[in-house]
């Protein structure tokens, strides 16, 4: 059952990380080319055209490792103490 927890954590990160990346870019607007973005659809278009889809998944490995381990342990503890 711990494998199910690991897969749940990975699925959560894979679905959530691109949206979190866009949110962070909207909040910080650290680069000059992002200042013209008016919302997440225009920011997504700018990011995809200038950096490609890979930019949405930058920095995903630490989150994958931690969320996978946390969800795996939660599922394991739940099954053990249920």
């Amino acid at each position: 059952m711990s494998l199910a927890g690991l897969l749940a954590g990975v699925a959560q990160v894979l679905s959530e990380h691109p949206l979190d990346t866009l949110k962070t870019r909207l909040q910080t607007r650290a680069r000059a080319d992002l200042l013209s973005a008016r919302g997440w659809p225009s920011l997504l278009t700018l990011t995809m055209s200038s950096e490609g889809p890979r930019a949405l998944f930058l920095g995903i490995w630490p989150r994958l490792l931690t969320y996978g381990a946390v969800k795996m342990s939660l599922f394991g503890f739940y099954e053990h103490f249920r």
Side-chain angles (χ1 to χ4, degrees), residues 16-53:
E16 178 181 279
H17 191 78
L19 299 173
D20 195 38
T21 300
L22 289 175
K23 176 196 62 116
T24 302
R25 287 179 177 217
L26 271 175
Q27 289 175 337
T28 59
R29 308 240 179 150
R31 295 188 352 231
D33 61 335
L34 299 180
L35 292 175
S36 64
R38 300 223 177 253
W40 71 267
S42 62
L43 181 63
L44 179 62
T45 305
L46 277 171
T47 301
M48 295 294 277
S49 64
S50 64
E51 300 175 63

